């Protein structure tokens, strides 16, 4: 059972409940003033606390995607990186691994599609970053051999792992099932973290004298994927989805670069860049750059581009609820704004899972091949 599987979490919760009940039941029997009884009580308390902390830790990891596997958790992933010689090949994308989609006959690409792990060489941004690309079954079917597909970039929150988009939020499986049910068109998904430079939270900004993350997402990533796969290079062919930090990135990038993305979905996203020790200085003291990356400021002071936007929140449990209502009210001009507002739901994977199917359907209806 995988680290992020629901079975492991339920097993840990069950163990904690059983040990707690067992401790209450056995406590009177261990009340004697003997070494054995004292050790028994200490052992029962320690075991109960360990299972409780394990359950909480597993829940937190499943919600925020800190570790993708048991090997990742215990530092046992020892496989070395792959050298990508871009100057010699001139290629922007190198495929460094593949995996099947977890659907029936998922190991057959024309039936289940395929997931490829790639490395993207950022020619303009000078950033090289890994990503996962989901190719739908139609991509491998003869009748679609000359057809281009729409594509959507999918971003995690910070911190988070791109593997969590596959194992925790099940993007490829959801897209496969929705397309099979004719609820969305077959779409290529490009899944990665918004932090393309080590552990620094760039907030997807071109930082003065620092990482050019925005250029990576608006130019390098799109160009690289379009050259490698059958995806158009127009904005109408591209969408961008994200949760939390990824949601802010998706919304901000599409509003600042309608020439790159025609649709954006922000799941529990916020509306201006956060600055803390994980981000460092983002704007180099420039108030102008800070304002330009503030979504609310843009709504009030610039013309809203003709893009489609989906924002989500919850009446109870989400910190962005009031700002989301404010965004919907301020949105104007040519933008097409949609929303998903849940009655309740926290800032976690469970909430985003409830929003993903309608989000993918919405995105599929906004893009052209």
């Amino acid at each position: 059972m995988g680290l992020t599987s629901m079975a492991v979490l339920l097993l840990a919760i069950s163990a904690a409940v059983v040990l707690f009940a067992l401790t209450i039941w056995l406590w009177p029997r261990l009340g004697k003033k003997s070494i054995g009884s004292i050790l028994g009580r200490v052992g029962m308390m320690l075991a109960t606390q360990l299972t409780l902390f394990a359950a909480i830790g597993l829940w937190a990891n499943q919600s925020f995607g800190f570790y993708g596997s048991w090997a990742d958790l215990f530092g046992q992933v020892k496989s070395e990186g792959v050298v990508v010689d871009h100057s010699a090949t001139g290629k922007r994308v190198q495929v460094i691994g593949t995996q099947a989609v977890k659907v029936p006959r998922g190991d057959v690409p024309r039936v289940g599609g395929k997931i490829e792990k790639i490395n993207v060489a950022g020619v303009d941004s000078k950033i090289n970053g890994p990503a996962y690309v989901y190719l739908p079954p139609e991509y491998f079917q003869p009748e679609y051999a000359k057809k281009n597909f729409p594509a959507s970039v999918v971003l995690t929150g910070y911190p988070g792992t791109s593997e969590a988009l596959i194992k925790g939020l099940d993007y490829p499986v959801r897209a496969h099932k929705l397309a099979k049910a004719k609820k969305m068109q077959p779409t290529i998904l490009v899944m990665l973290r918004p932090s393309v430079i080590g552990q620094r939270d760039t907030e997807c900004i071109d930082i003065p004298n620092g990482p050019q993350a925005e250029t990576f997402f608006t130019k390098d990533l799109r160009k690289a994927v379009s050259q490698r796969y059958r995806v158009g290079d127009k904005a109408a062919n591209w969408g961008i989805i994200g949760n939390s930090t990824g949601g802010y990135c998706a919304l901000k990038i599409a509003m600042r670069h309608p020439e790159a993305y025609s649709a954006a979905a922000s799941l529990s996203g916020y509306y201006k860049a956060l600055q803390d020790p994980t981000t460092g200085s983002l704007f180099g003291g420039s108030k102008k750059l800070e304002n330009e990356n503030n979504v609310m400021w843009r709504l009030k002071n610039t013309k809203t581009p003709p893009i489609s936007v989906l924002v989500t929140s919850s009446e109870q449990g989400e910190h962005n609820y009031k700002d989301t209502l404010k965004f919907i009210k301020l949105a104007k001009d040519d933008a097409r704004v949609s929303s998903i507002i849940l009655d309740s739901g926290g800032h976690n994977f469970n909430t985003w899972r409830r929003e993903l199917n309608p989000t993918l359907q919405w995105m599929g209806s906004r893009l052209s091949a």
Side-chain angles (χ1 to χ4, degrees):
M1 294 185 287
L3 176 65
T4 59
S5 70
M6 184 59 69
V8 170
L9 177 58
L10 292 176
L11 183 62
I13 293 173
S14 300
V17 171
V18 169
L19 280 171
F20 177 77
L22 195 60
T23 300
I24 298 298
W25 183 57
L26 291 177
W27 198 261
R29 303 187 182 190
L30 298 173
K32 298 177 182 180
K33 294 182 180 180
S34 65
I35 296 298
S37 296
I38 293 172
L39 291 176
R41 291 199 297 271
V42 171
M44 294 295 291
M45 290 177 63
L46 286 176
T48 302
Q49 290 179 349
L50 283 174
T51 54
L52 178 60
F53 288 140
I56 293 172
L58 287 166
W59 171 82
N61 185 68
Q62 191 180 81
S63 296
F64 298 101
F66 298 118
Y67 299 97
S69 66
W70 293 108
D72 187 20
L73 174 64
F74 293 110
Q76 295 175 339
V77 180
K78 302 298 183 182
S79 58
E80 296 183 350
V82 177
V83 175
V84 183
D85 189 357
H86 305 290
S87 59
T89 64
K91 293 182 179 179
R92 291 174 177 260
V93 169
Q94 179 174 339
V95 178
I96 55 179
T98 63
Q99 60 180 279
V101 182
K102 292 187 177 180
V103 296
R105 297 185 66 201
D107 57 334
V108 181
R110 68 177 183 277
V111 177
K114 185 167 67 170
I115 299 169
E116 294 188 343
K117 185 176 183 179
I118 65 172
N119 193 82
V120 178
V123 175
D124 293 314
S125 65
K126 310 305 179 187
I127 293 173
N128 292 348
Y132 288 92
V133 175
Y134 162 71
L135 301 170
E138 291 80 2
Y139 192 88
F140 303 97
Q141 296 171 3
E143 57 267 39
Y144 292 88
K146 296 182 179 180
K147 175 181 171 59
N148 282 344
F149 291 80
S152 182
V153 172
V154 182
L155 302 176
T156 66
Y158 179 90
T161 65
S162 50
E163 289 82 1
L165 297 170
I166 300 172
K167 299 177 181 178
L169 293 175
D170 302 320
Y171 268 97
V173 172
R174 291 173 184 275
H176 179 279
K177 290 181 177 179
L178 288 170
K180 187 175 181 179
K182 308 299 183 184
K183 294 182 178 180
M184 70 173 289
Q185 62 178 319
T187 302
I188 291 173
L189 303 178
V190 186
M191 300 166 284
L192 68 166
R193 304 172 67 219
S195 303
V196 289
I197 296 293
Q199 296 303 312
R200 183 175 183 180
D201 180 6
T202 63
E203 298 285 302
C204 302
I205 291 168
D206 279 353
I207 300 172
N209 301 313
Q212 304 296 287
E214 190 168 29
T215 296
F216 177 83
F217 287 114
T218 57
K219 293 183 180 180
D220 290 328
L221 183 62
R222 291 176 67 257
K223 186 175 292 186
V225 172
S226 295
Q227 288 181 356
R228 170 74 189 187
Y229 303 100
R230 299 199 306 275
V231 178
D233 57 4
K234 295 181 174 58
N237 311 134
W238 283 86
I240 183 167
I241 304 171
N243 58 269
S244 191
T245 300
Y248 161 72
C249 287
L251 187 58
K252 183 273 299 274
I253 286 173
M255 291 186 69
R256 282 173 54 82
H257 295 277
E259 79 284 356
Y261 297 97
S262 61
S266 174
L267 310 185
S268 304
Y270 40 90
Y271 298 92
K272 66 177 182 179
L274 303 179
Q275 293 197 78
D276 56 32
T278 67
T279 66
S281 175
L282 292 175
F283 308 111
S286 171
K287 188 64 178 178
K288 180 177 181 291
L289 183 60
E290 183 176 354
N291 285 338
E292 288 176 349
N293 283 275
N294 184 320
V295 172
M296 295 299 190
W297 184 92
R298 298 190 66 84
L299 285 178
K300 295 176 182 177
N301 296 279
T302 66
K303 181 178 174 60
T304 305
I307 58 175
S308 297
V309 173
L310 172 66
V311 291
T312 80
S313 189
S314 304
E315 292 181 12
Q316 295 182 354
E318 276 287 15
H319 60 82
N320 74 337
Y321 176 61
K322 291 183 179 179
D323 283 342
T324 298
L325 296 184
K326 184 179 179 181
F327 173 87
I328 295 169
K329 185 177 180 179
L330 286 174
K332 55 186 184 297
D333 299 331
D334 298 321
R336 295 189 296 167
V337 180
S338 305
S339 68
I340 299 174
I341 306 294
L342 302 177
D343 292 335
S344 64
H347 197 75
N348 55 55
F349 273 28
N350 184 56
T351 297
W352 301 327
R353 289 188 191 102
R354 295 161 61 195
E355 298 167 342
L356 273 184
N357 280 7
T359 295
L360 285 170
Q361 289 179 255
W362 175 90
M363 182 62 75
S365 69
R366 288 334 192 248
L367 302 180
S368 61

